[in-house]
Amino acid sequence: MSTVRSACLAESINATLADLLEQDPRLLLLGEDIGRLGGVFRVTRGLRDRFGADRVRDSLLAESTIIGQAVGMTMSGLVPVCEIQFDGFTYPGVNQLVTQAARIADRWNGRVEPSLVVRIPTGGGTRGVEHHGESNEALFARVPGISVACPSTGEDADQILRYAVTLGSPVVVYEPIRLYWRRNTPARDPEPARSPTAARIVRRGTDLTIATFGAITHDVLEAATALAPDVDVEVVDLRWVAPLDMGTVLESVARTGRLLIVHEGSKDVGIGAEIAASVAEHGFDVLRGPVRRLAPDRRVYPPANFEKDYLIGVQEIKDEVLVMTK
């Protein structure tokens, strides 16, 4: 049974993981402090008490061993769901994900289907210290064999996790930290996605399309609401950045004629660059103006006191839309 739509992101993920643990005895959770503590954000709170220490496992403080263990587990027929505490801590586990998990299926000629999920709290806006506010989803999005999801609601996180554990290949799920316990969210078009990996049009509009994902989707919706009725903005929540649902983006751009891509990770060689290139290649004839990207400059994520000068906010989104539609 799917989680309740009104639940916040953390509650939805907790309920979904509990349901998956109940349904599939092969599934287990693995990560730093996820058992007794319930994770640094308490997303797995109560699951160890309910399912036991063998299925909700506290790991060593070593990300390479978390992913390494998971690779061995999935090759043995288990379904590990790992948690990395912050996306800035992901780098020690990159080797295991890229050179092992992503290649197992081809290495074994399809005889092994590595059902492996890595959950990663991501993004800024919480005044975290170094390595606690990054957005490195583009790092894995370009790796063949790895799927990357970026939910912005509890409902989407529920659907993504349920699909990810059945995919038979590694999935990295980026969970926005500042949305874990947020309840007041902008209204969305209720139309569901066409498939588990499809994007969702969460606001209908006629003047301009904004493609986005993750926590900043909420800022985009807030900006779109503030601009109405002078500018009618359509908002596409990508939900997945690998694979990218370019079909939904292109259909939206065909209706509006303009495209702005907004994301929290740095602009250079990011998700926005890939979307812009794809639209230029396949949708150039429907554009009424150049595709634009709005994202932070390429620099190290700043200390807490300066993150507001780094992150893209509602005002910056509004200003960019007005420039494109004047």
Side-chain angles (χ1 to χ4, degrees):
M1 181 180 295
S2 182
T3 54
V4 178
R5 291 189 179 191
S6 61
C8 64
L9 182 65
E11 291 171 338
S12 291
I13 294 169
N14 182 283
T16 301
L17 291 174
D19 196 30
L20 293 172
L21 285 162
E22 190 75 52
Q23 291 179 12
D24 190 347
R26 301 174 304 151
L27 193 136
L28 57 89
L29 311 183
L30 177 67
E32 299 170 6
D33 298 323
I34 67 165
R36 284 169 290 184
L37 183 64
V40 68
F41 298 105
R42 308 301 188 265
V43 175
T44 55
R45 182 165 47 194
L47 298 182
R48 182 176 184 265
D49 292 339
R50 181 172 171 184
F51 295 99
D54 286 340
R55 299 193 64 199
V56 183
R57 301 188 179 190
D58 284 319
S59 69
L60 297 174
L61 300 180
E63 289 73 22
S64 61
T65 67
I66 295 173
I67 307 299
Q69 288 179 72
V71 170
M73 289 172 177
T74 191
M75 292 185 71
S76 301
L78 299 173
V79 182
V81 178
C82 307
E83 179 181 302
I84 306 297
Q85 282 192 342
F86 293 89
D87 64 359
F89 298 171
T90 306
Y91 305 112
V94 169
N95 179 55
Q96 304 290 353
L97 267 172
V98 174
T99 67
Q100 302 299 328
R103 301 169 187 258
I104 290 173
D106 286 341
R107 190 177 292 152
W108 288 78
N109 294 321
R111 290 176 293 176
V112 174
E113 295 185 345
S115 295
L116 185 161
V117 178
V118 181
R119 298 178 38 250
I120 306 176
T122 188
T126 60
R127 294 181 54 80
V129 297
E130 187 179 18
H131 301 304
H132 290 68
E134 301 178 24
S135 299
N136 58 23
E137 64 281 340
L139 177 69
F140 295 113
R142 70 172 310 276
V143 178
I146 297 178
S147 299
V148 181
C150 302
S152 63
T153 67
E155 178 188 359
D156 284 340
D158 172 69
Q159 184 185 52
I160 285 166
L161 282 170
R162 292 178 188 279
Y163 177 74
V165 297
T166 67
L167 190 58
S169 60
V171 179
V172 178
V173 182
Y174 283 91
E175 301 167 1
I177 295 170
R178 67 179 182 266
L179 298 186
Y180 269 142
W181 299 102
R182 179 175 174 177
R183 295 189 182 277
N184 297 322
T185 59
R188 295 175 173 233
D189 189 307
E191 184 177 340
R194 290 179 292 191
S195 75
T197 58
R200 287 181 65 183
I201 297 176
V202 294
R203 189 184 194 278
R204 295 284 178 175
T206 57
D207 295 330
L208 176 141
T209 296
I210 299 182
T212 187
F213 58 90
I216 206 167
T217 304
H218 297 258
D219 297 314
V220 169
L221 285 167
E222 185 177 339
T225 300
L227 289 165
D230 298 323
V231 183
D232 193 12
V233 176
E234 181 152 301
V235 180
V236 179
D237 184 348
L238 295 168
R239 305 197 313 146
W240 294 77
V241 296
L244 273 170
D245 178 11
M246 286 306 305
T248 297
V249 175
L250 287 165
E251 288 172 13
S252 178
V253 174
R255 290 191 295 271
T256 67
R258 298 183 179 91
L259 175 63
L260 171 64
I261 306 140
V262 181
H263 57 73
E264 191 170 323
S266 61
K267 181 187 291 186
D268 292 19
V269 200
I271 303 302
E274 178 62 27
I275 296 170
S278 295
V279 171
E281 184 175 0
H282 300 290
F284 185 79
D285 56 328
V286 302
L287 289 171
R288 291 189 281 165
V291 175
R292 294 176 69 106
R293 294 173 292 157
L294 184 60
D297 294 330
R298 185 178 184 266
R299 58 190 177 99
V300 174
Y301 197 91
N305 286 344
F306 301 99
E307 70 173 2
K308 285 187 177 181
D309 297 326
Y310 175 86
L311 293 171
I312 302 301
V314 173
Q315 188 60 51
E316 289 86 355
I317 298 166
K318 290 166 59 180
D319 292 344
E320 193 74 11
V321 169
L322 292 173
V323 167
M324 293 180 66
T325 56
K326 67 179 181 180

